[in-house]
Structures are given as structure tokens and as C-alpha cells.
Amino acid sequence: MTGPAGDVLVYNVARLLTEAPGSSRTVRVAGVMLNLGADIELADPLEGDVRIARTNRGVLVTGRLTTSLSESCSRCLRSIEVPIDIALEEEVLPSIDIVTGLPVDESVEPDVARLTDHHELDLEPLLREAILLAEPIAPLCRPDCPGLCVVCGEDLSVGDHAHDEAPIDPRLEALRAFRRDDEAENR
């Protein structure tokens, strides 16, 4: 089972839909780059295997794929590559009944993934969603990244870093006289 030459992530599953539940095919995804939009970009192509198994309602798509994302460290803002593992597990239902050729009433389950009218499975939207879910919220270049200085914005991992005491805003000068209770007792 291979995708058409022009669209490597589209697979015709019409024959699989005529087989008994439990029948399956495995497809290899290799060297595929997806356009994920302006906010996120793949650094490496998708690699992995996807299993398409017949269920009593449609097909179950499962698989593990790997790639890496081009990101910025959330502390120091350096450009980094973040490796991610993608887990797919999605049931995809037909939009056309394989036996009668009539359209399936999609209003019964409107939020479920569907096969095309030609009984084709398009993996791209499933992979795109899985990548977005696997994207780290705050990627780091390394776990102990110190980040940037809050005063000057310099990278704190590049040697010693010190500043003179900043002048206090004149409107807040009166607050200098206030002391916490534990400071007043120690005087």
C-alpha cells in the first residue's frame, strides 16, 4: 500500500475496508517534511512506521514517528533543534459506505477524522495535530540554562555578570524606609 507519487501521505484503503476487522497494513514514512505554518517548523524529516488496521467501523491508525523542531530556547533565545517522538492513535471513519457507495451521515460523529470520498487516508492532518501536541511548551537548550540578564539582556551563560545597584525611581524612594518585621527585630 503506497501513496500516489504526488502525495506521499495519502493511502488508498478501499481494499483494506473490504477485509475482516483486524486486517492491517504497515506503511513507512521517511523523508517527509510538512509545512506546519508560521509558528513552528520541522528541522528534520519525519521518520517512522504507521500501522493501518481495519476496525468494524473504519480504520485505526497507530504509529511512532520521530523528527525535530526548529525552536528557540525559552530562557536564552538561542536557536535549537528539539527532537520529538510522535505517537499516533486515531480511528478514521469512511465518508462513503464501501458497500452501498452512499455518503455516510457525518452529523452523527462530526468531530471524527474521515477518509476521503475515494476511500483514501490522508495522514498529513493527523501528523500535523500530533506534532503540535508533542511540541514542548518551553524548550530549553540545556536543563541548566541560566537565561538572559533581566537588566541588560546579556546571556548569563557567557562568563561573569554583575551590575551596579540601579537607581530607585524617585516616586518609590519613600518605600526605602519600610522594613519587614524580621529586619526591624534584628536592628
Side-chain angles (χ1 to χ4, degrees):
M1 172 187 298
T2 59
D7 205 349
V8 296
L9 293 176
V10 177
Y11 301 92
N12 190 314
V13 295
R15 175 173 279 163
L16 183 60
L17 290 173
T18 63
E19 295 178 15
S23 301
S24 68
R25 308 283 190 279
T26 300
V27 295
R28 178 87 180 133
V29 175
V32 176
M33 295 293 284
L34 293 179
N35 181 2
L36 301 171
D39 296 338
I40 184 171
E41 180 181 337
L42 289 181
D44 291 318
L46 286 160
E47 302 285 338
D49 292 316
V50 175
R51 183 174 181 260
I52 306 166
R54 173 75 165 105
T55 67
N56 60 343
R57 299 172 3 124
V59 294
L60 178 65
V61 180
T62 57
R64 297 211 61 90
L65 295 100
T66 59
T67 188
S68 60
L69 302 174
S70 292
E71 295 277 351
S72 294
C73 176
S74 62
R75 291 185 187 159
C76 68
L77 305 179
R78 255 184 259 175
S79 293
I80 58 173
E81 284 189 19
V82 179
I84 59 170
D85 290 318
I86 303 159
L88 276 180
E89 187 170 337
E90 186 84 33
E91 185 177 30
V92 183
L93 302 180
S95 55
I96 301 290
D97 186 283
I98 193 76
V99 177
T100 66
L102 297 173
V104 173
D105 183 10
E106 295 182 15
S107 65
V108 176
E109 292 180 277
D111 296 331
V112 71
R114 297 278 175 181
L115 299 172
T116 69
D117 291 348
H118 300 288
H119 306 295
E120 294 172 329
L121 170 65
D122 187 358
L123 288 177
E124 186 171 336
L126 301 177
L127 289 170
R128 180 176 283 116
E129 184 177 328
I131 291 168
L132 293 175
L133 289 172
E135 178 187 17
I137 293 171
L140 298 174
C141 60
R142 63 180 202 260
D144 62 340
C145 176
L148 301 175
C149 175
V150 295
V151 175
C152 67
E154 292 292 321
D155 189 347
L156 293 174
S157 65
V158 183
D160 293 333
H161 198 82
H163 292 283
D164 295 331
E165 190 172 315
I168 294 180
D169 186 326
R171 296 169 291 179
L172 302 175
E173 188 63 40
L175 295 176
R176 209 186 272 269
F178 289 107
R179 302 272 183 225
R180 293 189 331 226
D181 288 339
D182 59 338
E183 287 180 1
E185 292 173 9
N186 292 336
R187 282 210 259 166

